[in-house]
Amino acid sequence: GWGGGPLNRLLFIKLLYEVAGSPQPGASAAFIDVGDSSAAVWAAETGVVSGDGKGRLLPTQAVTREQAAVMLYNYARSLELSAPEDGPAAAELADAADAADVAAWARPAVEFCLRTGTLTADGSGRFLPGDTITREEAAAALEAFALYVEANQAR
Protein backbone atom coordinates (compact mmCIF):
# COMPACT_ATOMS: atom_id res chain seq x y z
CA GLY A 1 0.00 0.00 0.00
CA TRP A 2 1.05 3.55 -0.70
CA GLY A 3 -0.26 5.13 2.48
CA GLY A 4 -0.49 8.91 2.80
CA GLY A 5 1.96 11.80 2.89
CA PRO A 6 5.14 12.28 0.89
CA LEU A 7 7.00 9.33 -0.48
CA ASN A 8 10.03 8.42 1.62
CA ARG A 9 13.28 6.84 0.52
CA LEU A 10 12.54 3.37 1.84
CA LEU A 11 9.11 3.22 0.20
CA PHE A 12 10.50 4.33 -3.16
CA ILE A 13 13.20 1.63 -2.85
CA LYS A 14 10.54 -0.97 -2.02
CA LEU A 15 8.55 0.01 -5.11
CA LEU A 16 11.66 -0.21 -7.30
CA TYR A 17 12.49 -3.57 -5.69
CA GLU A 18 9.06 -4.83 -6.76
CA VAL A 19 9.75 -3.65 -10.33
CA ALA A 20 12.96 -5.70 -10.14
CA GLY A 21 10.95 -8.80 -9.23
CA SER A 22 11.90 -8.78 -5.53
CA PRO A 23 15.07 -10.89 -5.90
CA GLN A 24 16.46 -12.44 -2.73
CA PRO A 25 19.47 -10.35 -1.65
CA GLY A 26 22.74 -11.97 -0.59
CA ALA A 27 23.24 -10.25 2.74
CA SER A 28 20.78 -9.67 5.56
CA ALA A 29 21.47 -6.05 6.50
CA ALA A 30 22.99 -3.10 4.70
CA PHE A 31 22.26 0.06 6.67
CA ILE A 32 22.42 0.79 10.39
CA ASP A 33 19.11 2.67 10.34
CA VAL A 34 17.03 0.06 8.48
CA GLY A 35 16.09 -3.22 10.11
CA ASP A 36 14.93 -6.29 8.27
CA SER A 37 14.41 -5.03 4.71
CA SER A 38 15.27 -7.16 1.70
CA ALA A 39 14.54 -4.12 -0.48
CA ALA A 40 17.16 -1.99 1.30
CA VAL A 41 19.78 -4.74 1.10
CA TRP A 42 19.01 -5.31 -2.58
CA ALA A 43 19.32 -1.57 -3.23
CA ALA A 44 22.75 -1.52 -1.57
CA GLU A 45 23.95 -4.62 -3.43
CA THR A 46 22.86 -3.34 -6.84
CA GLY A 47 24.22 0.16 -6.22
CA VAL A 48 20.76 1.73 -6.40
CA VAL A 49 21.58 3.59 -3.17
CA SER A 50 24.84 4.05 -1.34
CA GLY A 51 23.50 5.76 1.77
CA ASP A 52 24.94 8.84 3.39
CA GLY A 53 28.54 7.60 3.68
CA LYS A 54 28.02 6.82 7.36
CA GLY A 55 26.11 3.58 6.85
CA ARG A 56 22.68 5.17 6.97
CA LEU A 57 19.93 4.99 4.37
CA LEU A 58 17.82 7.79 5.92
CA PRO A 59 14.69 5.73 5.14
CA THR A 60 12.10 8.27 6.26
CA GLN A 61 13.52 11.20 4.28
CA ALA A 62 11.25 12.39 1.48
CA VAL A 63 12.51 11.58 -2.03
CA THR A 64 13.20 14.48 -4.36
CA ARG A 65 12.70 14.15 -8.09
CA GLU A 66 16.45 14.20 -8.75
CA GLN A 67 17.07 11.55 -6.05
CA ALA A 68 14.40 9.34 -7.61
CA ALA A 69 16.08 9.85 -10.99
CA VAL A 70 19.42 8.74 -9.54
CA MET A 71 17.95 5.56 -8.04
CA LEU A 72 16.27 4.64 -11.33
CA TYR A 73 19.45 5.43 -13.26
CA ASN A 74 21.63 3.39 -10.88
CA TYR A 75 19.31 0.41 -11.24
CA ALA A 76 19.34 0.72 -15.05
CA ARG A 77 23.15 0.80 -14.94
CA SER A 78 23.21 -2.34 -12.79
CA LEU A 79 21.25 -3.99 -15.64
CA GLU A 80 23.76 -2.51 -18.13
CA LEU A 81 21.03 -0.48 -19.81
CA SER A 82 21.70 2.93 -21.28
CA ALA A 83 19.44 5.72 -22.41
CA PRO A 84 18.48 5.94 -26.07
CA GLU A 85 20.38 8.53 -28.08
CA ASP A 86 17.19 9.59 -29.80
CA GLY A 87 13.56 8.59 -30.00
CA PRO A 88 10.20 10.01 -28.99
CA ALA A 89 11.40 11.11 -25.57
CA ALA A 90 14.86 12.38 -26.55
CA ALA A 91 14.40 15.40 -24.32
CA GLU A 92 17.65 16.93 -23.21
CA LEU A 93 18.33 18.23 -19.74
CA ALA A 94 19.47 21.43 -21.47
CA ASP A 95 15.88 21.82 -22.71
CA ALA A 96 14.56 22.08 -19.16
CA ALA A 97 13.89 25.64 -18.06
CA ASP A 98 15.53 24.94 -14.70
CA ALA A 99 18.41 22.74 -15.91
CA ALA A 100 20.82 24.82 -13.84
CA ASP A 101 19.02 23.76 -10.67
CA VAL A 102 19.84 20.08 -11.14
CA ALA A 103 22.72 19.01 -8.88
CA ALA A 104 25.91 17.95 -10.68
CA TRP A 105 25.72 14.42 -9.21
CA ALA A 106 22.19 13.99 -10.54
CA ARG A 107 22.68 15.36 -14.07
CA PRO A 108 23.39 12.06 -15.90
CA ALA A 109 20.46 10.45 -14.09
CA VAL A 110 18.02 13.26 -14.86
CA GLU A 111 19.15 13.20 -18.49
CA PHE A 112 18.55 9.43 -18.54
CA CYS A 113 15.04 9.83 -17.11
CA LEU A 114 14.15 12.58 -19.57
CA ARG A 115 15.45 10.54 -22.51
CA THR A 116 13.57 7.41 -21.49
CA GLY A 117 10.43 9.35 -20.58
CA THR A 118 10.61 7.96 -17.05
CA LEU A 119 10.41 11.39 -15.43
CA THR A 120 9.31 14.34 -17.50
CA ALA A 121 9.33 18.11 -17.24
CA ASP A 122 6.19 19.90 -16.09
CA GLY A 123 3.86 21.92 -18.30
CA SER A 124 6.18 24.91 -18.26
CA GLY A 125 9.25 22.85 -19.16
CA ARG A 126 10.77 22.64 -15.70
CA PHE A 127 12.18 19.44 -14.20
CA LEU A 128 11.83 20.64 -10.57
CA PRO A 129 14.76 18.53 -9.29
CA GLY A 130 14.46 19.53 -5.64
CA ASP A 131 10.71 18.99 -5.36
CA THR A 132 9.50 15.99 -3.41
CA ILE A 133 8.26 13.37 -5.84
CA THR A 134 4.53 12.80 -5.54
CA ARG A 135 2.99 9.36 -5.31
CA GLU A 136 1.40 9.87 -8.72
CA GLU A 137 4.74 10.86 -10.27
CA ALA A 138 6.48 7.92 -8.65
CA ALA A 139 3.83 5.46 -9.84
CA ALA A 140 4.02 6.83 -13.40
CA ALA A 141 7.84 6.86 -13.34
CA LEU A 142 8.10 3.27 -12.09
CA GLU A 143 5.57 2.11 -14.67
CA ALA A 144 7.43 3.86 -17.51
CA PHE A 145 10.73 2.54 -16.17
CA ALA A 146 9.44 -1.05 -16.00
CA LEU A 147 8.33 -0.80 -19.63
CA TYR A 148 11.71 0.63 -20.62
CA VAL A 149 13.56 -2.21 -18.84
CA GLU A 150 11.30 -4.80 -20.45
CA ALA A 151 11.86 -3.37 -23.91
CA ASN A 152 15.62 -2.99 -23.57
CA GLN A 153 16.88 -5.81 -21.38
CA ALA A 154 19.09 -8.27 -23.20
CA ARG A 155 17.03 -11.36 -23.84
Side-chain angles (χ1 to χ4, degrees):
W2 288 75
L7 201 60
N8 69 35
R9 285 166 58 85
L10 186 57
L11 183 52
F12 189 82
I13 288 164
K14 282 181 176 163
L15 295 166
L16 187 54
Y17 179 59
E18 284 171 19
V19 168
S22 307
Q24 195 53 48
S28 56
F31 300 103
I32 56 176
D33 58 351
V34 179
D36 185 27
S37 170
S38 294
V41 178
W42 166 83
E45 288 179 346
T46 50
V48 168
V49 288
S50 52
D52 68 349
K54 300 186 180 83
R56 291 184 308 231
L57 178 64
L58 309 172
T60 59
Q61 214 173 61
V63 179
T64 65
R65 286 170 51 84
E66 67 184 1
Q67 287 171 358
V70 169
M71 290 188 219
L72 292 166
Y73 177 63
N74 287 346
Y75 177 49
R77 287 178 63 186
S78 79
L79 298 175
E80 297 179 3
L81 297 178
S82 57
E85 290 306 312
D86 50 28
E92 296 289 339
L93 175 54
D95 299 341
D98 58 353
D101 296 341
V102 177
W105 50 265
R107 293 184 90 85
V110 170
E111 181 97 6
F112 167 85
C113 285
L114 287 170
R115 279 180 176 266
T116 54
T118 306
L119 280 166
T120 52
D122 72 359
S124 53
R126 294 172 309 163
F127 185 75
L128 308 170
D131 282 23
T132 302
I133 194 167
T134 67
R135 283 160 190 273
E136 294 74 23
E137 286 170 344
L142 288 157
E143 192 175 330
F145 182 77
L147 291 170
Y148 166 74
V149 170
E150 208 172 298
N152 291 279
Q153 214 168 0
R155 302 260 166 253

